[in-house]
Amino acid sequence: MPDIEAHITGTVWKIECKVGDKVEEGDTVVILESMKMEMPVEAEDEGTVKEILCEEGQAVNEGDTLVRLE
């Protein structure tokens, strides 16, 4: 089951998907804010959003799982 992980340490600024959404490779699923810059986190695989493991305003570290696909 593919996971979408944070590529930087920052704060979840906006979640761009919801459970049940179909995503394709390259789709933005979460936007992180770090050092006053918005950084999109994109899907590296296609699938359906099974679980969202973060919420807006949450601090995350590089490598934390944000979204799980099936």
Side-chain angles (χ1 to χ4, degrees):
M1 178 170 17
D3 292 334
I4 300 171
E5 299 176 345
H7 52 76
I8 58 168
T9 296
T11 303
V12 177
W13 185 74
K14 187 172 183 187
I15 298 171
E16 295 277 304
C17 64
K18 58 185 179 292
V19 173
D21 283 358
K22 293 192 183 303
V23 295
E24 296 185 14
E25 184 179 344
D27 286 353
T28 298
V29 292
V30 175
I31 299 174
L32 300 179
E33 188 273 327
S34 180
M35 308 285 287
K36 301 194 187 281
M37 294 177 53
E38 294 175 19
M39 306 291 289
V41 178
E42 299 173 345
E44 294 180 2
D45 298 291
E46 59 182 53
T48 302
V49 177
K50 179 180 181 181
E51 189 175 10
I52 298 172
L53 303 173
C54 62
E55 49 190 56
E56 292 177 5
Q58 177 182 341
V60 296
N61 293 309
E62 184 176 354
D64 286 353
T65 301
L66 304 176
V67 176
R68 187 160 283 144
L69 301 179
E70 60 181 356

